[in-house]
Amino acid sequence: MACGSRKWWNLSRRGAAPATRFPLAGLLMALALAGCTGGSTTAPPTGGVGPVKSPSTSGGSQGPSTGGRATAVTWQTGDLSLPTPFPFEQLVPIGDKLYLIASDNGSAAGPTAKPSGGIWSTADGLAWTKQSDIDAIKSSGTDRPTLMAAAPNGRGGAVVVGSKRTADGAESTAAWWTADGKTWANASVEGPAGAMYSVVGRPDGLVAVGITSAGVNAVPAAWRSTDGGSSWTSVSLPGGGREARDVTVWGDKFVAIGRSADANLFLWASADGATWSVVESPSDASFSPNRLIPFGNALIVLGNGVPGSAILTCGNDMTCTRASVPSLGYMASSTQIRAGAEVSGTIVVNALSGTAGTVASPVAGTVASPGPSAEAVPGLDFFASTDGRTWTTLKSSPALVVVTSNLVAFDGRLVGVALTGPDVTAATVKVVVGDLR
């Protein structure tokens, strides 16, 4: 079960790859995380996250607060339930509201199948109103869209990026934009065929990253828009490699992260999104990056790795080191961290850990330590940090089975989509709103 596989259901993601969704019973298998330390040239890590940059995190935070450390996060459930987890679940601020965009990307049927899902909005995270079906975001003719990431466009609207597939199976890069969250339009995208995996905006423009095809191999790619997302121009990323996974705004520059052909990390930087340079190439084949979070003078990299090594912290000199992450308190062989957000000077991330080849049943959100007498233990943890370098465990109340969307900060509260309930057979997909305690 490769993490980049098109048949792997990505948990806690920015926006899913064109994948066939696992049924709920398959959630337990996904929790095992067997072989989930490498990247893919065909599908992005998703988490959530292209990352949604909420108003409190876009362009980097103002830095850690001086208040005390949070020890718990308490959750309320909103009035919106989804019938099933969707491969693409993205929360994105548009104007003064928060929108949820959910789509199965047509994965339930053939290459031109109409996707199911919808678009909802809220003013407080708890009361939601449906704005439209997901086919409001559509491609021309019979082309099937594959949504992968969303972000505010810096002008009060938003963009969604990904790819599209024609009736004959050919794929090409695609993007959509909106001024109000209700009416969406196709964007024009220049450059070779590929897929956008992540997107971020600031007032002077948007940048998306992903892959383009070069013969039989994929290479890292970037695109730039200066008109709110209605048109995109392809720009090159130097240094080689196989994919660009995420992009953010940190201080006065765009920063992107990806993987080289030999599994080393790449960090690129650009002042304007048009001209890029490689600023760091850490050699750590055991770590696979998912998400960038800017935080004052630190840049946080969330990823997949062995327990205790799934978060990197980069300084102003772009040198990245492993952060100090608390012990899980149970045996696991792999941890993936795909979603996180900053709330009032504290970064909160959710970590999903598992032991390769072992799964506990029937309780969802649990994994087992090896051995015939092993007992099931929690597989979902929340970590918090006020400096990005030292992390502590947050108690989650009530406990969540798994977070299935990105996390965003909205009105000073955490918002996400999660499986809630006592076990996988009784779990429901709900919007949850969290407060730090």
Side-chain angles (χ1 to χ4, degrees), residues 20-60:
T20 299
R21 199 169 56 246
F22 274 36
L24 287 183
L27 177 61
L28 297 175
M29 184 67 72
L31 287 171
L33 303 179
C36 287
T37 57
S40 164
T41 60
T42 60
T46 51
V49 148
V52 166
K53 305 299 190 264
S54 68
S56 64
T57 59
S58 180

Side-chain angles (χ1 to χ4, degrees), residues 132-351:
S132 65
D133 291 330
I134 194 60
D135 60 5
I137 303 175
K138 58 188 176 184
S139 296
S140 57
T142 59
D143 293 356
R144 190 194 75 190
T146 297
L147 313 183
M148 294 184 180
N153 67 358
R155 301 186 178 191
V159 295
V160 170
V161 300
S163 63
K164 61 183 179 181
R165 180 179 296 185
T166 60
D168 61 4
E171 292 195 15
S172 61
T173 316
W176 302 263
W177 66 281
T178 182
D180 58 9
K182 300 176 182 179
T183 303
W184 293 80
N186 286 283
S188 63
V189 182
E190 297 179 0
M196 297 179 180
Y197 289 168
S198 174
V199 63
V200 69
R202 65 185 191 188
D204 64 338
L206 291 139
V207 168
V209 298
I211 60 168
T212 55
S213 298
V216 296
N217 297 317
V219 296
W223 296 262
R224 181 173 178 250
S225 174
T226 58
D227 57 11
S230 63
S231 63
W232 296 81
T233 302
S234 178
V235 297
S236 62
L237 289 176
R242 62 183 183 183
E243 63 187 347
R245 292 191 164 197
D246 196 18
V247 63
T248 193
V249 175
W250 186 32
D252 60 356
K253 58 183 173 289
F254 293 99
V255 179
I257 196 167
R259 299 278 281 183
S260 68
D262 56 359
N264 288 331
L265 302 182
F266 266 178
L267 278 171
W268 296 271
S270 173
D272 58 6
T275 303
W276 293 80
S277 60
V278 177
V279 293
E280 178 72 356
S281 182
S283 180
D284 189 352
S286 68
F287 179 86
S288 181
N290 293 323
R291 169 87 194 273
L292 295 169
I293 300 181
F295 190 58
N297 63 358
L299 181 66
I300 315 304
V301 186
L302 310 180
N304 300 346
V306 297
S309 301
I311 301 176
L312 301 182
T313 305
C314 309
N316 288 325
D317 62 356
M318 303 303 292
T319 299
C320 304
T321 58
R322 290 183 177 180
S324 175
V325 180
S327 170
L328 295 175
Y330 56 89
M331 185 176 294
S333 61
S334 181
T335 295
Q336 60 171 283
I337 304 179
R338 295 178 174 268
E342 177 202 340
V343 179
S344 303
T346 297
I347 299 178
V348 177
V349 303
N350 74 283

Side-chain angles (χ1 to χ4, degrees), residues 344-432:
S344 303
T346 297
I347 299 178
V348 177
V349 303
N350 74 283
L352 189 62
S353 301
T355 302
T358 64
V359 192
S361 181
V363 182
T366 65
V367 294
S369 55
S373 61
E375 295 182 357
V377 292
L380 181 68
D381 298 277
F382 287 91
F383 299 143
S385 177
T386 57
D387 62 7
R389 294 172 173 83
T390 302
W391 296 76
T392 57
T393 301
L394 287 179
K395 180 181 179 182
S396 176
S397 179
L400 304 179
V401 174
V402 69
V403 176
T404 60
S405 73
N406 58 325
L407 287 173
V408 301
F410 185 70
D411 266 356
R413 310 181 78 187
L414 287 170
V415 184
V417 180
L419 276 171
T420 64
D423 57 56
V424 70
T425 61
T428 57
V429 187
K430 301 280 291 185
V431 173
V432 293

